[in-house]
Amino acid sequence: IPLRGYITFKDVNFGYDEGKRVLKNINLYAKPGQKIAFVGSTGAGKTTVTNLINRFYEINDGTILFDGIDIRRINKHDLRSTMSIVLQDVHLFEGTIKDNIRYGRLDATDEEIIEAAKLANAHYFIKNLPNGYDTMLTADGMNLSQGERQLLSIARAAVADPTILILDEATSSVDTRTEKLIVEGMDKLMEGRTTFVIAHRLSTVRDSDAIMVLEHGEIIERGDHEELMNLKGRYYELNTG
Ligand code: CTP
Ligand code: MG
């Protein structure tokens, strides 16, 4: 059965250690193709939410549903093969650029890899390398710039063609031109997929279908950009500094 990308959190409570609750009573609903953003100060629980969707950690209180099915009943490997995490700490390995993009979908053809790189806006820099797609990367892709590594992570996700996208934006800055390429590539990648975005760029957050403001593990405000600005609460404060 093809997965569609409905995600529901019902009264989810979670802590990494006994006694310390990191997420408190989280309820949310995402439909296929929607973009849900999480904002809030450091330690608020943003990455934790995405850790739970992936089952990197198991919840013991509440329910998370994927297309109406309790994720605890979905095989972890199957679950993760429907999801891609983009941008943050992309793991590149020693091998060609082609192999690094193909990662996770070993049956991808060269044509599919190039098509994904084009969508991700990574094709331009790759084809300008002396060995193009056959360029060898050192461990963790240290012979690429940070922006180039991020473009590769978008290309890798495009090849994987996931139902769910998790975008955990890196805080470190890249130059304006690369930034533009990344934002464009991400926009194309998100189309038609349920996306959870932990964003530092206000532009990424602004056009989300719903924005969740997390504070000490609780959703204290939710709505779209306009609604939250009108509320003149925490989100408004974050935007107006
Ligand atoms: N935490 C923990 N054990 C972990 C990961 C996180 O105890 N393995 C705690 C953190 O110390 C923090 C809380 O869980 O108090 C929420 O962490 P996280 O979800 O990572 O916070 P973010 O909102 O993602 O913070 P940042 O913006 O800094 O990434
Ligand atoms: Mg985080």
Side-chain angles (χ1 to χ4, degrees):
I1 329 154
L3 289 162
R4 301 184 54 202
Y6 290 92
I7 296 282
T8 308
F9 274 56
K10 277 189 191 164
D11 302 322
V12 172
N13 287 284
F14 174 77
Y16 292 94
D17 307 303
E18 287 289 318
K20 192 195 166 210
R21 268 201 305 166
V22 166
L23 290 181
K24 298 166 195 160
N25 210 32
I26 301 295
N27 284 286
L28 62 90
Y29 179 59
K31 286 191 232 177
Q34 279 190 333
K35 182 169 152 189
I36 312 290
F38 294 91
V39 299
S41 22
T42 186
K46 305 180 295 293
T47 299
T48 304
V49 171
T50 63
N51 283 341
L52 298 183
I53 297 170
N54 266 294
R55 281 184 72 195
F56 288 146
Y57 293 89
E58 304 286 358
I59 53 166
N60 36 37
D61 188 28
T63 319
I64 302 174
L65 304 172
F66 185 177
D67 285 1
I69 303 162
D70 190 322
I71 59 165
R72 282 170 290 204
R73 292 177 46 214
I74 306 173
N75 170 289
K76 269 187 203 174
H77 176 267
D78 291 347
L79 184 75
R80 287 178 198 157
S81 69
T82 66
M83 305 184 175
S84 292
I85 304 177
V86 222
L87 295 189
Q88 189 145 71
D89 305 323
V90 55
H91 172 69
L92 299 171
F93 53 87
E94 200 174 323
T96 63
I97 287 206
K98 204 190 275 174
D99 289 342
N100 270 278
I101 295 176
R102 183 183 276 126
Y103 171 91
R105 240 209 71 206
L106 297 176
D107 62 334
T109 63
D110 285 7
E111 286 69 31
E112 286 173 315
I113 288 170
I114 292 167
E115 196 189 321
K118 281 183 177 163
L119 179 137
N121 275 341
H123 179 69
Y124 183 76
F125 96 79
I126 297 169
K127 84 172 168 38
N128 278 307
L129 295 170
N131 292 312
Y133 283 84
D134 295 317
T135 302
M136 284 295 290
L137 298 187
T138 55
D140 265 316
M142 291 317 285
N143 49 339
L144 296 178
S145 74
Q146 211 221 335
E148 290 165 345
R149 290 201 293 273
Q150 295 191 1
L151 292 172
L152 276 196
S153 84
I154 300 172
R156 179 185 280 179
V159 155
D161 190 20
T163 305
I164 310 279
L165 263 181
I166 294 169
L167 165 62
D168 206 341
E169 271 185 1
T171 30
S172 41
S173 56
V174 294
D175 64 85
T176 322
R177 199 185 66 90
T178 310
E179 167 102 14
K180 194 165 168 281
L181 293 176
I182 291 172
V183 169
E184 272 177 21
M186 275 307 306
D187 279 347
K188 282 187 273 171
L189 181 61
M190 286 188 285
E191 217 161 280
R193 307 177 202 279
T194 312
T195 305
F196 293 91
V197 35
I198 300 168
H200 303 286
R201 297 178 179 96
L202 285 176
S203 59
T204 319
V205 176
R206 201 176 291 260
D207 67 342
S208 301
D209 296 289
I211 302 162
M212 308 285 161
V213 183
L214 276 176
E215 196 92 322
H216 304 298
E218 275 179 282
I219 299 175
I220 57 161
E221 289 171 18
R222 66 171 81 209
D224 64 22
H225 175 77
E226 206 188 322
E227 287 163 351
L228 292 185
M229 287 306 280
N230 289 335
L231 202 62
K232 293 218 160 36
R234 186 79 185 102
Y235 182 77
Y236 176 84
E237 269 174 38
L238 289 170
N239 274 269
T240 51

